[in-house]
Amino acid sequence: MNIAARILLGALSGWLTGKAMDGERIGKGQSPGRIQLFDIIYGIIGALMGDHLFFWIVIGRNSFGNYATAVLGAIAVVGAARLIGARLHRSRQTT
């Protein structure tokens, strides 16, 4: 897969994953635009790492498998960043 296509797919997947996970806010002090920007950046990173993260899912090297690993990588990295950020925010509030 072309690197530009992987970056665009990662940005789109990161943004959509962030929209789906709106309940898990990173922090109340951050603006929604900044959170969306981080979702897009994490999505791009996840899409670029997706082939290494999910190599065991794809059987064979075809274009659908490349797209699938890019999307799965973006979802995994954005989801992990959101959950870690929400837990850190909650732990700071309780102490």
Side-chain angles (χ1 to χ4, degrees), residues 32-83:
R34 184 174 177 190
I35 293 172
Q36 289 176 353
L37 178 66
F38 280 125
D39 289 341
I40 291 170
I41 291 169
Y42 291 145
I44 291 170
I45 292 169
L48 294 174
M49 292 176 23
D51 196 35
H52 302 291
L53 290 173
F54 297 105
F55 67 92
W56 44 271
I57 290 178
V58 180
I59 299 172
R61 294 286 181 190
N62 53 15
S63 61
F64 177 75
N66 289 333
Y67 292 123
T69 57
V71 170
L72 287 173
I75 290 171
V77 171
V78 170
R82 282 283 188 113
L83 290 175

